[in-house]
């Protein structure tokens, strides 16, 4: 449900093997990429994501191609894998464009301002971050999609957090912690279905078994955010009255505006394709803008009153270009801006370049080689779990795709778990604990690029606050090291 092809496609994906490729050769592009990215970020800082990182990913792909040529891998094969990778992101790229459009119409219609308006009256800095985790977890469980959660309620929570003078990184980390808890645990999520399919397990056995590591992880996450909330400077609340007054002066605020996000969430729960649901949400946002905020729509074109031409032009500008709503409050003026579809082009550029690198790495057989080497290092049960985690992390970094981070290790490790007498739920849980949730921590991974672009917060800013995401693989390794709840493959379980 993240806008990419689902389990049916990924289960049958071909993984290229190259027996001639040495492990040190497979790691050359990875080391080169990490070194180049580190230097590039050092030079450009936060501006690295604006374009230079994209070119570095292409250079990493070129290094991988040189390794491939040295091992007699044809240019045609590498390009074919790149094309397959790019093809797999089609849905994600279209969703990114639609999210940009939705953000534009939800801003000028007053939907996002209404969420901030009412949210400021309910939430305060002390409970805000923990509330973000809970709200996003509920929405994500219901929709099965961290992407939809981030693009709807996540954007509103970022706005509320900024109005409360809370760090954007903290708010984004809390949003993503909750969103990925729900994404991981929801039976509607594609990754939740994909992981047991790869391991040969049952969906609901997988979900039930995940609670063993996931519940402690989310509880620790909530405790940390509660402690952070208690330590926050609450000066942001002093400006709440002024902010509320400014929002009410600028927009016609009504509870009816919540009808649009409610409809979108219902559509997602009813398994409407995310792209269609977001398009409907965008169009409804445009309609509500004409009904509730005619002055704002007309003002976007410089017209004094709304007519057919100014309405059409104002809506299309909000959907496609950057939109800024002036207010009498500097904080809100900065907050009430959206970049439209045009603002998503940088993220799309990043994803395409990441897919080039991942495609070449797959084409030369490096992904398969790295995973097999990690598998060979597993000399014990804990070693097997650690190798799985390492493999998922490596695939999220090198292939830039969370589905590959589940599919490749899932295929490679399934027999090893069975040979050790371990139930398939052990593998499927580890795939989710390390493959699904860590994808958002990699700036050039499709998930990291998506959420960073949608929330307007760089990965480096929210990394340490995405507590659930980086704590999950640590938790699964801790349980494995202590031998807690490691389910064995019994004859009855094997027959089920």
């Amino acid at each position: 449900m993240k806008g990419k092809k689902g389990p049916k496609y990924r289960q049958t994906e071909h993984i290229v093997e190259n027996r001639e490729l040495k492990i040190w050769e497979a790691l050359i592009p990875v080391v080169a990429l990490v070194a180049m990215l580190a230097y590039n970020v050092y030079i450009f800082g936060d501006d690295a994501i604006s374009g230079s990182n994209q070119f570095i990913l292409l250079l990493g792909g070129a290094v991988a191609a040189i390794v491939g040529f040295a091992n007699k891998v044809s240019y045609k094969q590498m390009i074919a894998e790149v094309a397959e990778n790019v093809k797999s992101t089609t849905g994600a790229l279209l969703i990114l464009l639609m999210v940009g459009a939705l953000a534009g119409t939800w801003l000028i219609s007053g939907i996002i301002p209404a969420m901030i308006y009412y949210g400021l009256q309910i939430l305060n800095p002390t409970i805000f971050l923990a509330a973000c985790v809970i709200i996003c977890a509920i929405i994500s469980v219901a929709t099965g999609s961290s992407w939809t959660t981030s693009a709807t309620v996540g954007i509103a929570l970022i706005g509320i957090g900024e109005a409360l003078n809370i760090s954007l990184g903290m708010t984004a980390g809390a949003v993503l912690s909750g969103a990925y808890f729900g994404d991981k645990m929801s039976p509607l999520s594609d990754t939740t279905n994909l992981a047991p399919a790869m391991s040969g397990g049952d969906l609901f056995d997988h979900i039930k078994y995940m609670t063993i590591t996931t519940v402690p992880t989310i509880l620790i996450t909530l405790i940390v955010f509660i402690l952070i909330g208690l330590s926050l400077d609450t000066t942001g609340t002093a400006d709440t009255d002024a902010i509320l007054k400014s929002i009410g002066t600028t927009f016609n605020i009504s509870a009816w505006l919540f009808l649009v996000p409610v409809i979108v969430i219902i559509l997602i729960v009813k398994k409407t394709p995310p792209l269609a649901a977001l398009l409907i949400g965008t169009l409804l946002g445009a309609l509500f803008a004409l009904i509730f905020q005619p002055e704002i729509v007309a003002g976007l074109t410089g017209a004094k009153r709304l007519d057919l031409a100014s309405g059409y032009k104002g809506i299309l500008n909000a959907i496609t270009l950057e939109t800024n709503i002036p207010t009498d409050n500097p904080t809100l003026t900065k907050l009430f801006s959206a970049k439209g579809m045009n603002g998503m082009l940088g993220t799309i550029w990043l994803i395409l370049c990441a897919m080039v690198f991942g495609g070449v790495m797959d084409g030369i057989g490096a992904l398969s080689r790295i995973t097999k080497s990690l598998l060979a290092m597993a000399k014990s049960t804990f070693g097997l779990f650690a190798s799985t985690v390492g493999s998922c992390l490596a695939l999220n970094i090198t292939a830039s795709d969370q589905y590959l981070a589940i599919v490749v290790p899932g295929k490679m490790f399934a027999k090893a778990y069975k040979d050790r007498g371990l139930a398939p739920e052990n593998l499927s849980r580890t795939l989710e604990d390390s493959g699904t949730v860590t994808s958002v921590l990699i700036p050039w991974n499709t998930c990291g690029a998506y959420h960073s672009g949608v929330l307007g917060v760089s990965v480096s800013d929210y990394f340490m606050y995405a507590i659930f995401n980086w704590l999950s693989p640590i938790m699964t390794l801790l349980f494995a090291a202590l031998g807690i709840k490691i389910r064995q493959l019994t004859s009855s379980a094997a027959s089920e």
Side-chain angles (χ1 to χ4, degrees), residues 194-489:
L194 182 58
M198 289 296 98
S199 68
D202 175 78
L203 171 62
F204 290 100
D205 285 344
H206 164 63
I207 294 174
K208 183 178 179 181
Y209 194 61
M210 275 200 299
T211 60
I212 296 171
T213 56
T214 304
V215 170
T217 304
I218 197 65
L219 289 177
I220 293 172
T221 300
L222 282 169
I223 291 171
V224 171
F225 278 122
I226 289 171
L227 293 175
I228 292 175
L230 291 172
S231 66
L232 284 176
D233 180 0
T234 59
T235 54
T237 56
D239 299 325
T240 299
D241 290 340
I243 290 174
L244 292 174
K245 182 179 179 181
S246 184
I247 295 175
T249 301
T250 307
F251 295 91
N252 295 317
I253 300 299
S254 169
W256 286 106
L257 292 167
F258 286 95
L259 186 61
V260 176
V262 168
I263 289 173
V264 171
I265 291 173
I266 290 174
L267 288 173
I268 295 293
V269 171
K270 294 292 185 181
K271 299 185 179 180
T272 304
L275 188 61
L278 292 173
L279 174 59
I280 292 171
T282 299
L283 296 176
L284 287 175
L287 177 62
F288 274 50
L290 296 173
I291 296 172
F292 288 93
Q293 321 295 340
E295 297 87 358
I296 288 178
V297 176
L300 293 175
T301 65
K304 293 183 178 180
R305 65 182 183 84
L306 184 67
D307 55 26
L308 182 61
S310 62
Y312 176 81
K313 187 176 180 180
I315 294 296
L316 264 293
N317 281 344
I319 287 174
T320 58
L321 304 174
E322 184 172 356
T323 301
N324 295 285
I325 308 293
T327 71
D328 57 7
N329 186 300
T331 300
L332 289 179
T333 299
K334 178 183 176 183
L335 182 60
F336 291 153
S337 64
K339 297 181 179 180
M341 297 172 78
N342 183 63
M344 292 297 167
L345 295 181
T347 303
I348 290 172
W349 181 16
L350 178 66
I351 290 174
L352 290 174
C353 291
M355 290 300 99
V356 170
F357 176 73
V360 177
M361 286 289 286
D362 192 15
I364 68 175
L367 301 185
S368 173
R369 189 70 187 83
I370 291 171
T371 304
K372 282 190 172 182
S373 295
L374 287 169
L375 177 57
M377 296 168 60
K379 304 299 181 183
S380 63
T381 297
F382 173 76
L384 186 59
F385 278 80
S387 296
T388 308
V389 171
S391 181
C392 291
L393 293 175
L395 267 295
N396 264 329
I397 293 171
T398 58
S400 309
D401 183 274
Q402 71 168 354
Y403 292 98
L404 282 173
I406 293 174
V407 171
V408 176
K411 285 186 174 182
M412 297 293 183
F413 284 80
K415 187 175 186 301
Y417 276 75
K418 185 177 181 181
D419 290 345
R420 288 187 184 273
L422 298 172
E425 294 84 55
N426 293 285
L427 174 57
S428 61
R429 184 182 73 184
T430 307
L431 292 174
E432 289 253 61
D433 281 343
S434 50
T436 297
V437 300
T438 61
S439 57
V440 75
L441 302 177
I442 312 299
W444 55 88
N445 188 287
T446 52
C447 292
Y450 173 87
H451 289 288
S452 176
V454 167
L455 297 176
V457 184
S458 69
V459 174
S460 60
D461 285 340
Y462 70 63
F463 185 99
M464 68 178 292
Y465 298 110
I467 299 167
F468 178 82
N469 301 75
W470 55 255
L471 184 59
S472 289
I474 296 174
M475 187 66 71
T476 202
L477 288 176
L478 178 63
F479 274 59
L482 299 177
I484 301 173
K485 297 292 185 178
I486 305 301
R487 184 171 294 175
Q488 301 299 310
L489 184 63

